């Protein structure tokens, strides 16, 4: 029986995981008084208000929340709209569709509409996510550089509004190196400062400092195991190496001007190089291995690249030298331009070939929810590698998506509601029995995927499972194999899913290429899963808490009534109506234990709290005394 229930749960859960998008109200308004309904009446006999819903979606369902309407919605195909008759003073309308999540349109609370008899209201629905706009500022040096923002020309140092998300920037000026960048605008990141470097000659005494001869293991590797260098990656490498060389030249200048700082500068160089020089060397090696025929050709390329930085004519005062050294000390601890730090971490050979080491070394970021939005009332947090990108997800139940910039690795955090009864199946005993059952767990993975393995797992002490599988996916130009592992548990009637995926192989023109090895990232995925923390004390909306408390106390009263009156009624009925004498000890204990077991099961189903279980034991004792009443006296 438990196995059947578990299979039913898995199938229903899979259906929820495959849910599609979210409908949104683009706008809603009251039409002029010339639009009136004087034909159809509502349930109270008044002329019904009319809601015109404009959308290309068919098969929408409408429901008046509160008083039911006696009229079904009318779909006018020629106009791509629905005509739905509401009730006078209607406040909430529920809209459903088989491919979208149901949602409620709160006419008064969200849109300030007081629905009146006879009036007509127009609403437009779409499934395009709302764009949130913020003011941003792009500053360039020189100030007269041309800025192209999403291919539209702008003026430097001018504030303008644009939506949160990814955008492209291109900055150009004659005599300077052009900059192309892809930025991610957020509420906290709205200022973008760019300095164009002058084209000119520069004597680079450090041109060959990035000798990689000490990277003996890496130099023996096949090129197919290295990152593929495209234009975007080449820009990242050039920017990071230029950053390192610029810092090295500045330190050399300070060292020559102020001999008293030599010991401090030596220590600073050693500390910085111990953390980041191997990354510079690996970038150098990647360029050499994939783009150039020999070392001399690479050096010539670097001369051209570094000449583009212009002439370094830096003059320091004692105060500015101290400030520069303090700034570099901060960089040693990772306080630097985010793009530069990310590039250093991406190309750290230890992290590239052993991704979990980045996490272990403390290079990680924290993500946490406040219980709102897609997190469905669950407060939780997790850590992810510092070099990874955090993005919004399109699917409604995906809270956040985390991905490696170049390695085709993705981690997604999902929170979605499940039926309260199904929480019973997420206990240690059942999951330990079924979590490694291939027949059962096969139902948890997408159609067409191949089951690999599964097992019991706990997140924050909550029982759950993990499952690993492979999926063949298709793109326009090639096929690729995605290998994934999902960690799942249930908390507070919400399913918490951490899905980690690796594109391990691609096939182009019937030729297969290995991209990543899942085993290389398996430990990192476990580290991310182990970092999950669930806050079990949620701060809820005050209005919500009023209803929650009212429902809680009503449930408590009913449960006490059910526990005491109903369960004591049975012993009283048996003792004083049917048997009319004290029962034997054996009969009493058999009967009491049967009733006790049934009571415990019902309490679990209805989510009983500890106080209810205390009452059960009291009922157990009182029932025992009733059934054995007068036994000692006789």
């Amino acid at each position: 029986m438990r196995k059947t229930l578990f299979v039913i749960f898995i199938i229903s859960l899979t259906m929820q995981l495959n849910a599609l998008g979210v409908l949104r109200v683009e706008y809603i308004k009251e039409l002029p008084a010339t639009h009136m309904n004087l034909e159809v009446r509502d349930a109270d006999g008044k002329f019904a208000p009319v809601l015109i819903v404009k959308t290309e979606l068919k098969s929408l369902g409408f429901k008046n929340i509160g008083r039911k309407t006696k009229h079904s919605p009318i779909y006018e195909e020629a106009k791509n709209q629905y005509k739905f008759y509401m009730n006078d003073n209607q406040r909430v309308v529920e809209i459903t569709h088989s491919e979208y999540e149901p949602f409620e349109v709160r006419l008064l609370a969200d849109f300030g509409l007081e629905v009146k008899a006879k009036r007509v209201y127009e609403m437009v629905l779409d499934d395009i996510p709302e764009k949130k706009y913020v003011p941003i500022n792009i500053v360039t040096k020189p100030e007269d550089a041309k800025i192209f923002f999403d291919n539209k020309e702008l003026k430097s140092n001018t504030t303008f509004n644009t939506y949160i998300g990814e955008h492209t920037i291109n900055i150009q000026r004659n005599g300077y190196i052009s900059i192309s960048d892809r930025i991610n605008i957020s509420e906290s990141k709205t200022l973008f400062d760019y300095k164009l470097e002058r084209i000119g000659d520069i004597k680079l005494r450090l041109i060959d400092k990035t000798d990689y001869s000490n990277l003996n293991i890496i130099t023996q590797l096949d090129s197919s195991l290295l990152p593929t260098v495209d234009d975007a990656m080449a820009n990242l490498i050039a920017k990071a190496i230029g950053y390192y060389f610029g810092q090295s030249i500045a330190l050399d200048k300070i060292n020559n001007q102020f001999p008293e700082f030599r010991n401090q500068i030596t220590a600073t160089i050693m500390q910085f190089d111990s953390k980041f020089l191997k990354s510079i060397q690996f970038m150098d090696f990647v360029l050499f291995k994939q783009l150039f025929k020999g070392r001399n050709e690479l050096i010539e390329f670097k001369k051209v690249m570094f000449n583009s930085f212009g002439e370094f004519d830096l003059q320091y005062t004692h105060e500015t030298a101290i400030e520069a050294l303090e700034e570099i000390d901060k960089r040693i601890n990772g306080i630097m331009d985010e793009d530069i730090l990310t590039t250093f971490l991406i190309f750290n050979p230890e992290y590239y070939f052993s991704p979990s080491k980045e996490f272990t070394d403390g290079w990680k970021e924290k993500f946490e929810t406040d219980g709102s939005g897609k997190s469905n009332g669950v407060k939780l947090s997790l850590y992810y590698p510092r070099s990874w990108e955090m993005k919004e997800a399109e699917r409604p139940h995906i809270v956040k998506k985390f991905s490696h910039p170049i390695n085709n690795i993705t981690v997604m955090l999902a929170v979605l509601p499940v039926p309260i009864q199904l929480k019973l199946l997420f206990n240690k005993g059942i999951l330990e029995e079924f979590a490694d059952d291939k027949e059962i767990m096969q139902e948890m993975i997408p159609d067409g995927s191949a089951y690999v393995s599964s097992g019991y797992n706990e997140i924050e002490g909550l029982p759950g499972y993990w499952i690993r599988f492979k999926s063949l996916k298709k793109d326009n130009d090639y096929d690729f194999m995605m290998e994934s592992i999902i960690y799942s548990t249930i908390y507070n009637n919400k399913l918490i899913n951490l899905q980690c995926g690796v594109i391990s192989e691609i096939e182009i023109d019937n030729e297969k290429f290995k991209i990543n090895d899942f085993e290389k990232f398996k430990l990192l995925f476990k580290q991310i899963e182990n970092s999950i923390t669930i806050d079990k004390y949620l701060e809820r909306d005050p209005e919500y808490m009023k209803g929650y408390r009212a429902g809680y106390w009503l449930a408590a009263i009913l449960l006490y009534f059910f526990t005491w009156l109903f369960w004591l009624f049975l012993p009283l009925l048996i003792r004083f109506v049917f048997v009319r004498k004290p029962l034997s000890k054996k009969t009493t204990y058999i009967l009491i234990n049967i009733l006790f077991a049934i009571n415990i099961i019902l309490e679990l189903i209805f989510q009983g709290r500890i106080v209810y279980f205390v009452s059960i034991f009291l009922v157990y004792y009182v029932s025992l005394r009733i059934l054995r009443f007068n036994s000692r006296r006789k």
Side-chain angles (χ1 to χ4, degrees):
M1 180 63 180
R2 287 193 301 171
K3 185 171 181 178
T4 303
L5 286 173
F6 198 81
V7 172
I8 293 173
F9 160 67
I10 288 173
I11 294 173
S12 64
L13 190 57
T14 304
M15 292 173 64
Q16 293 186 59
L17 286 172
N18 292 328
L20 295 179
V22 177
L23 289 173
R24 301 178 186 273
V25 177
E26 184 173 334
Y27 74 81
I28 183 169
K29 64 182 180 181
E30 181 179 342
L31 296 183
T34 52
H35 296 75
M36 300 287 280
N37 167 45
L38 300 175
E39 300 174 354
V40 179
R41 297 181 181 271
D42 64 14
D44 296 332
K46 300 179 180 179
F47 287 109
V50 181
L51 180 64
I52 302 296
V53 181
K54 294 183 175 294
T55 177
E56 294 183 358
L57 289 173
K58 297 183 180 180
S59 303
L60 284 177
F62 296 83
K63 180 181 178 182
N64 280 333
I65 303 300
R67 293 175 296 164
K68 293 183 178 179
T69 180
K70 60 180 181 178
H71 302 287
S72 300
I74 301 170
Y75 181 63
E76 298 175 334
E77 188 168 2
K79 298 181 180 180
N80 286 330
Q81 67 181 31
Y82 290 83
K83 183 180 289 185
F84 179 59
Y85 294 96
M86 301 183 291
N87 296 304
D88 181 40
N89 201 29
Q90 183 71 42
R91 296 192 177 189
V92 183
V93 174
E94 183 183 58
I95 300 178
T96 57
H97 190 278
S98 60
E99 296 181 357
Y100 291 85
E101 288 191 344
F103 76 110
E104 292 183 349
V105 181
R106 301 189 301 174
L107 299 167
L108 180 60
D110 294 341
F111 300 96
L113 291 179
E114 296 185 9
V115 176
K116 303 174 184 177
K118 304 180 184 180
R119 299 310 297 265
V120 179
Y121 303 87
E122 182 180 272
M123 180 171 69
V124 173
L125 281 182
D126 63 30
D127 57 352
I128 301 173
E130 296 177 355
K131 291 182 178 179
K132 187 172 184 179
Y133 286 79
V134 294
I136 75 163
N137 195 357
I138 300 174
V139 178
T140 66
K141 294 180 181 178
E143 294 184 357
D144 58 348
K146 291 184 178 180
I147 301 174
F148 294 91
F149 183 83
D150 288 342
N151 297 321
K152 295 181 180 179
E153 188 172 356
L154 302 173
K155 291 183 178 180
S156 177
N157 202 17
T158 302
T159 301
F160 64 97
N161 288 334
T162 190
Y163 61 87
I164 290 175
E166 289 189 347
H167 297 269
T168 58
I169 291 180
N170 204 290
I171 303 173
Q172 304 171 2
R173 190 185 187 283
N174 290 336
Y176 289 79
I177 302 296
S178 299
I179 295 177
S180 294
D181 194 12
R182 189 164 184 85
I183 61 173
N184 199 333
I185 295 173
S186 64
E187 290 183 349
S188 60
K189 190 172 183 181
T190 58
L191 176 62
F192 300 89
D193 195 351
Y194 295 94
K195 182 180 180 180
L196 295 174
E197 299 295 344
R198 198 154 41 97
I199 298 175
D201 294 329
I202 180 171
K203 185 177 180 181
L204 292 174
R205 288 164 293 167
L206 303 171
I207 193 70
D208 207 27
K209 184 176 181 179
T210 57
D211 175 31
Y212 51 78
S213 58
N214 62 324
L215 304 180
N216 295 324
I217 297 177
I218 295 177
T219 56
Q220 305 302 317
L221 290 173
D222 187 271
S223 296
S224 64
L225 298 177
L226 300 175
T228 302
V229 178
D230 56 14
D231 290 343
M233 183 178 293
N235 287 334
L236 284 174
I237 291 175
K239 188 175 179 181
I241 294 178
Y243 186 88
Y244 177 78
F245 272 72
Q247 175 179 292
S248 299
I249 292 172
L251 287 172
D252 187 63
K253 191 76 174 178
I254 295 172
N255 186 59
N256 292 332
Q257 282 187 244
F258 305 99
E260 64 268 29
F261 290 142
R262 284 180 180 175
N263 291 337
Q264 183 180 349
I265 291 171
T266 300
T268 297
I269 292 174
M270 292 178 62
Q271 291 177 42
F272 192 91
D273 284 357
S274 69
K275 285 192 175 182
F276 302 117
L277 179 59
K278 63 187 71 156
S279 300
I280 301 294
Q281 293 171 331
F282 189 41
M283 296 178 209
D284 188 73
F285 176 72
V286 169
L287 288 175
F288 166 68
K289 197 74 173 176
Q290 295 195 7
L291 296 183
F292 303 101
K293 297 177 181 179
R295 184 69 180 169
N296 291 335
E297 186 177 328
L298 173 62
I299 292 176
E300 289 303 315
F301 167 79
K302 286 164 62 178
K303 285 180 180 178
V304 173
M305 180 176 69
F306 292 128
N307 282 343
S308 68
F309 284 102
E311 195 70 50
F312 281 90
D313 186 18
L314 301 173
Q315 296 296 325
Y316 290 95
T317 65
H318 195 275
E319 290 74 18
T320 57
I322 293 175
E323 290 176 0
L325 292 174
E326 290 175 348
E327 176 67 25
I328 296 173
D329 284 339
K330 292 179 181 178
R331 294 175 183 177
I332 293 171
N333 296 315
I335 304 173
M336 65 177 80
D337 185 291
E338 195 65 29
D339 289 342
I340 300 297
L341 177 60
T342 298
T343 307
F344 284 154
L345 296 176
I346 291 172
F347 288 96
N348 184 314
E350 295 178 2
Y351 301 162
Y352 184 81
F353 294 103
S354 300
S356 62
K357 197 172 189 310
E358 177 183 347
F359 203 90
T360 304
D361 285 352
W363 295 109
K364 53 190 178 181
E365 287 284 339
K366 185 177 183 180
F367 164 73
E368 57 186 339
T369 70
D370 60 1
S372 63
K374 292 182 178 181
S375 55
N376 283 309
V378 177
K379 276 187 176 182
L380 56 79
S381 65
L382 60 77
Y383 285 90
Y384 62 96
R386 182 76 178 268
S387 64
W388 287 31
E389 298 173 342
M390 181 175 68
K391 299 179 180 179
E392 293 293 335
E394 296 177 0
R395 295 176 71 87
H397 58 275
I398 303 297
V399 180
K400 273 292 185 290
K401 181 166 64 174
F402 311 90
S403 59
H404 192 285
I406 62 175
N407 252 333
N408 296 311
I409 316 297
T410 302
V411 172
M412 294 186 292
L413 175 67
V415 178
L416 68 160
V418 294
I420 188 171
Q421 293 83 355
L422 295 179
K423 182 180 178 182
L424 293 174
L425 296 175
F426 263 71
N427 68 63
K428 188 173 182 180
I430 294 177
L431 288 173
E432 283 181 334
E433 181 178 353
F434 295 135
D436 59 354
D437 189 316
K438 178 178 179 180
E439 180 183 348
I440 292 176
M441 301 307 289
Q442 182 75 34
E443 300 292 338
M444 277 301 295
I445 62 180
D447 292 339
S449 299
Y451 170 90
V452 176
S453 56
S454 61
Y456 176 77
N457 182 62
E458 291 186 0
I459 297 178
E460 272 279 80
L462 300 171
Y465 65 87
W466 61 268
I467 181 169
R468 180 174 168 183
F469 58 94
K470 294 182 178 181
S471 305
L472 181 63
K473 300 181 181 294
K474 295 182 179 293
D475 206 327
N476 294 331
D477 300 321
Y478 58 87
D479 298 342
F480 61 92
M481 179 68 72
M482 171 76 80
E483 190 163 358
S484 304
I485 187 168
I486 296 178
Y487 301 95
S488 296
T489 190
I490 284 184
Y491 166 67
N492 203 24
N493 303 317
K494 302 294 189 303
L495 177 78
I496 299 173
N497 254 12
L498 187 73
Q499 180 168 342
C500 313
V502 175
I503 296 180
S504 57
E505 184 181 88
I506 65 171
E507 182 176 338
I508 304 175
D509 297 330
N510 297 321
E511 187 175 356
K512 292 183 178 181
F513 301 90
K514 192 173 184 63
I515 303 300
N516 293 302
D517 182 7
F518 181 88
E519 293 298 326
K520 186 170 74 173
F521 298 93
K522 185 178 177 181
L523 178 57
L524 174 61
F525 295 155
K526 187 62 180 175
Q527 288 174 319
I528 296 174
E529 181 263 318
N530 284 337
S531 75
I532 293 177
T533 302
I534 301 173
D535 187 350
K536 298 180 180 179
Y537 303 96
L538 305 181
E539 297 178 4
R540 297 188 180 272
D541 178 76
E543 292 300 319
Y544 172 86
M545 285 301 294
K546 288 180 182 178
Y548 177 80
R549 293 191 186 101
Y552 177 87
W553 285 111
L554 178 61
I557 293 170
L558 291 175
L559 195 54
Y560 275 109
F561 177 83
F562 181 80
T563 302
W564 283 97
L565 297 186
F566 181 78
W567 289 107
L568 286 182
F569 177 74
L570 289 176
L572 288 170
L573 192 67
I574 294 171
R575 168 64 182 83
F576 295 105
V577 177
F578 295 113
V579 181
R580 296 185 180 179
K581 64 178 181 180
L583 277 66
S584 66
K585 282 187 178 180
K586 182 177 180 181
T587 304
T588 298
Y589 282 111
I590 291 174
L591 184 60
I592 287 297
N593 284 319
I594 290 173
L595 294 176
F596 180 73
I598 295 173
N599 204 345
I600 287 289
I601 292 171
L602 291 174
E603 296 289 359
L604 286 170
I605 291 175
F606 289 103
Q607 299 294 290
R609 302 293 190 263
I610 187 64
V611 292
Y612 305 150
F613 288 103
V614 172
S615 70
I616 292 173
F617 284 99
L618 292 175
V619 169
Y620 182 92
Y621 176 77
V622 175
S623 299
L624 180 67
R625 304 309 305 160
I626 290 172
L627 293 174
R628 295 281 294 158
F629 182 70
N630 280 339
S631 62
R632 292 184 180 178
R633 187 176 300 176
K634 287 190 176 182

